[in-house]
Amino acid sequence: MSDGSWYDADIKQVIISETEIKDKIDELAKQVAADHESVPGGLLLVCVLKGAVMFMADFSRALGRCGPPAELEFMAVSSYGQGTTSSGVVRILKDLDRDIAGRHVIVVEDIVDSGLTLSWLLKYLESREAASVEVVALFRKPGAVKVQVPVRYVGFDIPNEFVVGYGLDFAERYRELPYVGILKPEVYTRT
Ligand code: PRP
């Protein structure tokens, strides 16, 4: 799994490989396409930056090969700061650029951890009068959930450990790893 890159020394174990991620995204895109074959006005994909940027790029292209037309929108919210656990405090760092009233929205999330971010976001998007709001999340940590949120499409359930890669960061690093791995504890205890 390891390819000799700088980050390999900080990773305890690779839990999801680049190939597994790609195959799962193709599968999720096919499911979403089949469920929204004739959605009026096409889909509006809302990416939650920054963690979901890799997933949005790959998922939207996979959907493009099999699904209805989609438009891409980006929001940035923050709930973690620099630490390793959710604070529950959600701030909008970048809002939507357009009116979503009457649109069929799919939130494209990298990870559902405590569920606090998504719980807040779903209420926010519904308050903007979207016709429907559904979620596709590539990763979910069932062991970390604090609030139950309806996530229609889930890629992988993962252990409640500190994972990085494929968009997931620790202190803004490791997002560019092509796989998902568990960070060595000495990495986050030394900072
Ligand atoms: C991460 C992730 C989710 C959220 C999930 O974002 O991208 O949006 O945390 O955690 P929760 O279920 O406990 O709320 P983060 O706030 O770390 O920002 P980032 O995407 O810029 O890394």
Side-chain angles (χ1 to χ4, degrees), residues 78-145:
S78 178
S79 62
Y80 270 23
Q82 298 283 301
T84 59
T85 56
S86 297
S87 66
V89 177
V90 177
R91 284 187 301 144
I92 295 185
L93 305 178
K94 185 207 167 299
D95 207 344
L96 296 166
D97 291 334
R98 69 176 75 184
D99 183 14
I100 61 163
R103 299 300 308 271
H104 293 276
V105 171
I106 298 211
V107 176
V108 179
E109 254 292 22
D110 50 341
I111 188 164
V112 184
D113 199 325
S114 68
L116 292 164
T117 306
L118 203 49
S119 167
W120 175 88
L121 190 64
L122 292 180
K123 286 189 195 108
Y124 177 73
L125 295 173
E126 277 155 17
S127 77
R128 306 255 324 226
E129 297 177 341
S132 65
V133 182
E134 294 176 328
V135 180
V136 57
L138 189 55
F139 310 112
R140 179 173 64 182
K141 279 186 182 169
V145 68

